[in-house]
Amino acid sequence: MAKGDDLTELEGAVLTEIHHHGNHTAFAVARAFQRSMSAEWSGSAGAIYPAITRLTKRGLIMRSEARTGRKTRDLSLSQAGIDALAVWSCDAERAVGLGLDPFRLRAGLWRRLPAVRRDAQLEAVRTALRARLAELEVRAGEFDDLEQTAIQLAISLERLRLRWLDEAFAS
Amino acid sequence: MAKGDDLTELEGAVLTEIHHHGNHTAFAVARAFQRSMSAEWSGSAGAIYPAITRLTKRGLIMRSEARTGRKTRDLSLSQAGIDALAVWSCDAERAVGLGLDPFRLRAGLWRRLPAVRRDAQLEAVRTALRARLAELEVRAGEFDDLEQTAIQLAISLERLRLRWLDEAFAS
DNA sequence: CCGAACATGTAACCTGTTACATGATTAC
DNA sequence: GTAATCATGTAACAGGTTACATGTTCGG
């Protein structure tokens, strides 16, 4: 297994979405990405359809024949797809990577701000963090329990950032 | 201000790197990205040189004349560059975004694993997390205090993940 | 002198973005 | 009927990736 290239993060997320919802169309996958709270991607057709085409060519996704006169195709994972998803999701090295974190890129610079600007900036960030947290907590109910886990982690992350601001800038 | 397009994350990081080290060459910026612990980018020439060209064309970066016979150019920020960096770094909405988090994308799937596989997976992830933490703590000394802040945040994140594994999978 | 590190860039490729084109189905 | 939503795709573009091409400087 895993002789072919590894899956990208988006491809793994697409396989996850298809595998944990029966009879998903490509359109439904795109919509799920759009509505997702952990919005790392736009869920645009220009990303989703080519990704699904790639995964289909690699034999990881199967497309059912059109149900009705409609052009819709229901998607599901082949056994190879299920295996590839397992390999992707269990890649501990990748899971542990830091990812692209906009907060971490900027936080060091706030230190260098003159005191007045810095206090204003920290207050603005705290406000934004609280707003995000409130939104996450309110909207958490809309999602299934796979997404729940992601949302709980997102909440933990935002709380960590709030705590970190208090500790790192305690004057 | 901010009438032109916003900076990308990489462009902001490039400006940061140039601004907080006097007389940096493009090559030195690339090397700093390569050696950085928060390795969101490869620091490849194919990313750095075009980015610096873009930023120069926008009037944010100034290039000194060649010092010696060498083709090296020292880079520095124009006032417009300093302003653009301030705008980028103080964008609270963006700072508070979740970014692309490989851990969050996968964690939900670990829940669905059969008990034996799940325990093995969690142990593998814990091991990888501890290894990352050890490396971050050991290598923290190599960097200046701008990078220190990023490293401290990275350490906090990995510790959060460890704690979260214990709490979320407490059986 | 020679290899390592410094230094600048380009080319082919991949995969994301937005915006567009096209059409079927459903609710009113 | 018609507007909203479902549904599938493509085109132009942006900005990353690796790999390559080219040349300089410095330590031994």
Side-chain angles (χ1 to χ4, degrees):
Chain A
M1 70 198 72
K3 72 185 307 187
D5 307 23
D6 286 348
L7 298 172
T8 65
E9 295 295 280
L10 180 131
E11 287 167 348
V14 165
L15 291 186
T16 302
E17 183 63 32
I18 293 170
H19 195 47
H20 291 282
H21 293 275
N23 289 3
H24 239 30
T25 63
F27 182 83
V29 173
R31 191 180 41 196
F33 276 65
Q34 283 157 21
R35 300 221 233 261
S36 166
M37 291 266 48
S38 8
E40 20 254 351
W41 299 289
S42 72
S44 60
I48 301 299
Y49 284 95
I52 287 176
T53 303
R54 284 196 304 274
L55 294 167
T56 304
K57 280 187 185 148
R58 287 175 59 180
L60 307 183
I61 289 179
M62 295 182 302
R63 309 162 87 122
S64 73
E65 289 313 300
R67 281 173 300 190
T68 69
R70 229 169 178 170
K71 263 186 296 186
T72 41
R73 306 273 172 159
D74 286 335
L75 306 172
S76 58
L77 298 203
S78 66
Q79 188 57 48
I82 295 170
D83 294 347
L85 177 56
V87 169
W88 176 83
S89 70
C90 290
D91 184 338
E93 275 311 310
R94 253 171 112 180
V96 150
L98 295 171
L100 182 42
D101 181 344
F103 190 93
R104 201 174 59 241
L105 280 177
R106 289 168 174 81
L109 294 170
W110 301 336
R111 277 247 158 74
R112 313 259 168 135
L113 255 24
V116 182
R117 294 258 295 115
R118 187 179 61 223
D119 291 345
Q121 176 62 20
L122 295 182
E123 205 36 50
V125 174
R126 283 197 186 92
T127 302
L129 280 170
R130 287 192 206 102
R132 276 299 163 101
L133 270 169
E135 202 196 342
L136 282 164
E137 281 158 2
V138 165
R139 294 195 47 204
E142 300 173 22
F143 300 96
D144 60 29
D145 56 292
L146 241 192
E147 184 87 10
Q148 284 309 319
T149 303
I151 291 180
Q152 291 312 313
L153 269 165
I155 289 175
S156 300
L157 175 63
E158 301 292 32
R159 286 197 182 133
L160 171 69
R161 287 169 167 175
L162 267 176
R163 276 200 311 277
W164 183 86
L165 283 181
D166 287 339
E167 287 163 22
F169 291 91
S171 55
Chain B
M1 66 197 74
K3 73 186 305 189
D5 307 23
D6 286 349
L7 298 173
T8 65
E9 295 297 279
L10 181 132
E11 287 167 347
V14 165
L15 291 186
T16 302
E17 183 63 32
I18 293 170
H19 194 48
H20 290 281
H21 293 275
N23 288 5
H24 239 30
T25 63
F27 182 82
V29 173
R31 191 179 43 197
F33 276 65
Q34 282 156 23
R35 299 221 234 262
S36 166
M37 292 266 47
S38 8
E40 19 253 355
W41 299 288
S42 72
S44 61
I48 301 299
Y49 284 95
I52 287 176
T53 302
R54 284 198 302 274
L55 294 166
T56 305
K57 280 185 185 149
R58 287 174 59 179
L60 308 183
I61 290 179
M62 296 182 300
R63 310 162 87 120
S64 73
E65 287 314 299
R67 281 172 301 189
T68 70
R70 226 170 178 168
K71 265 186 297 186
T72 40
R73 306 272 173 160
D74 287 334
L75 306 171
S76 57
L77 297 203
S78 66
Q79 187 57 50
I82 294 170
D83 295 345
L85 177 55
V87 169
W88 176 84
S89 70
C90 291
D91 183 337
E93 276 311 309
R94 254 172 111 181
V96 149
L98 296 171
L100 181 42
D101 181 344
F103 190 93
R104 202 174 57 239
L105 280 176
R106 289 168 175 80
L109 293 171
W110 302 336
R111 278 246 159 75
R112 311 260 169 135
L113 255 23
V116 182
R117 296 256 297 114
R118 187 180 61 223
D119 290 345
Q121 176 62 20
L122 295 182
E123 205 37 48
V125 174
R126 283 197 186 92
T127 303
L129 281 170
R130 288 193 206 102
R132 274 304 161 97
L133 270 169
E135 202 196 343
L136 283 165
E137 281 158 1
V138 164
R139 295 194 48 202
E142 300 173 22
F143 299 96
D144 59 30
D145 56 291
L146 242 192
E147 184 87 10
Q148 284 308 321
T149 303
I151 291 180
Q152 291 311 314
L153 269 166
I155 288 175
S156 301
L157 175 63
E158 301 292 31
R159 287 195 181 134
L160 170 69
R161 287 169 168 175
L162 267 175
R163 276 200 312 275
W164 183 86
L165 283 181
D166 288 337
E167 289 163 21
F169 290 92
S171 55

